[in-house]
Amino acid sequence: MDAELVGYLAAVLTTSSFLPQALKTLRTRDVSGISLSMYCLFVSGVLLWLVYGVMRQAWPIIIANAITAVLAGSVLVLKLRHR
Amino acid sequence: MDAELVGYLAAVLTTSSFLPQALKTLRTRDVSGISLSMYCLFVSGVLLWLVYGVMRQAWPIIIANAITAVLAGSVLVLKLRHR
């Protein structure tokens, strides 16, 4: 398996992983166990990865981090609303 | 600010973000709101990023994802133990 394929698979997994968390939090509003500092740090980091992708004109990095920012961002908003 | 610096800052933020979640989960054992599928997908993805980093001999990717694997992996283990 070549490195590019491994990279794309890794990006799909880490990006899509926030979908089940966003859906679970939307459904249950159970945010007590979720760390606010984690999602503040993580969403800031993902937005910086987005800036990095734009600076490098690297579309895979732009697309993966735009999706992750929306999904992780929604968990952050739900955490702020229901804590 | 050059792209490399933005990339390193993004890596530090996304990597370190799992530390507060791991500490909170260790302290509270409150895992009901944490999505098991998220952490299964995310840890698998991070391990693939580690493989990608080794294939590319890219030490920043290796180090960031090794740390993230340990931190996110510990949340996954705690979720499996206390769900």
Side-chain angles (χ1 to χ4, degrees):
Chain A
M1 198 189 283
D2 79 333
E4 276 314 294
L5 191 60
V6 171
Y8 277 115
L9 201 53
V12 166
L13 284 172
T14 46
T15 298
S16 60
S17 70
F18 283 89
L19 183 59
Q21 180 67 68
L23 294 175
K24 181 183 176 88
T25 307
L26 209 57
R27 199 177 61 243
T28 65
R29 312 292 158 129
D30 178 354
V31 294
S32 59
I34 290 174
S35 162
L36 179 60
S37 350
M38 167 182 160
Y39 277 85
C40 289
L41 286 167
F42 188 82
V43 171
S44 319
V46 163
L47 292 175
L48 273 184
W49 276 123
L50 199 51
V51 169
Y52 176 81
V54 169
M55 291 170 90
R56 289 273 186 209
Q57 293 294 304
W59 279 99
I61 293 179
I62 294 170
I63 293 166
N65 285 285
I67 296 169
T68 307
V70 169
L71 293 174
S74 62
V75 178
L76 176 59
V77 166
L78 287 165
K79 171 69 182 178
L80 287 168
R81 262 207 215 139
H82 300 287
R83 59 183 170 161
Chain B
M1 200 190 283
D2 79 331
E4 275 316 291
L5 189 61
V6 171
Y8 277 115
L9 200 55
V12 166
L13 284 173
T14 47
T15 298
S16 59
S17 68
F18 284 88
L19 183 60
Q21 180 67 68
L23 294 175
K24 180 182 178 88
T25 309
L26 209 59
R27 199 178 61 242
T28 64
R29 311 293 159 132
D30 178 355
V31 295
S32 59
I34 290 174
S35 162
L36 179 59
S37 351
M38 167 183 160
Y39 276 85
C40 288
L41 286 169
F42 189 81
V43 171
S44 318
V46 163
L47 292 174
L48 272 184
W49 277 122
L50 199 52
V51 168
Y52 175 81
V54 169
M55 291 171 90
R56 288 274 185 211
Q57 292 295 305
W59 278 100
I61 293 178
I62 294 170
I63 293 166
N65 285 285
I67 296 170
T68 308
V70 169
L71 293 174
S74 61
V75 178
L76 176 58
V77 166
L78 287 165
K79 171 69 182 178
L80 288 168
R81 264 209 212 139
H82 300 287
R83 61 184 169 158

